[in-house]
């Protein structure tokens, strides 16, 4: 069974398991705008969700997670990004 594939029994059993994805709170590095690369959050998020895990995403300082605008350009945007 490949990554992201699960049976109904596995999905049900995984609901009692929790995953925490912790992302950056930094929106700048010096004068340069930055943030999390979207796929680095959405990829793992949907891998775990699709397997039935209870997933929480948070930032180090709490609040919104800044997303690097470059990661959402047509060149880099993934199917997981579109799902989010």
């Amino acid at each position: 069974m490949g990554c992201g594939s699960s049976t109904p029994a596995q999905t049900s059993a995984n609901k009692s398991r929790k995953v925490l994805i912790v992302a950056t709170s930094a929106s700048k590095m010096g004068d340069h705008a930055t943030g999390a690369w979207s796929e680095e959050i959405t990829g793992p998020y949907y891998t775990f969700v699709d397997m039935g895990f209870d997933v929480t995403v948070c930032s180090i300082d709490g609040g919104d997670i800044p997303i690097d605008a470059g990661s959402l350009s047509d060149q880099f945007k993934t199917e997981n990004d579109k799902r989010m």
Side-chain angles (χ1 to χ4, degrees), residues 13-34:
N14 287 341
K15 270 298 182 198
S16 64
R17 295 186 178 198
K18 298 179 185 297
V19 173
L20 177 63
I21 298 173
V22 182
T24 187
S25 293
S27 60
K28 288 192 174 262
M29 287 186 75
D31 292 333
H32 177 71
T34 189

Side-chain angles (χ1 to χ4, degrees), residues 11-79:
T11 300
S12 178
N14 287 341
K15 270 298 182 198
S16 64
R17 295 186 178 198
K18 298 179 185 297
V19 173
L20 177 63
I21 298 173
V22 182
T24 187
S25 293
S27 60
K28 288 192 174 262
M29 287 186 75
D31 292 333
H32 177 71
T34 189
W37 196 260
S38 184
E39 176 62 21
E40 291 178 348
I41 298 169
T42 62
Y45 175 84
Y46 283 114
T47 296
F48 288 120
V49 165
D50 291 348
M51 292 175 63
F53 286 84
D54 180 15
V55 181
T56 300
V57 180
C58 68
S59 65
I60 293 170
D61 289 337
D64 292 340
I65 299 168
I67 302 296
D68 187 311
S71 69
L72 298 177
S73 69
D74 288 340
Q75 183 180 1
F76 296 109
K77 195 174 216 178
T78 68
E79 289 304 313

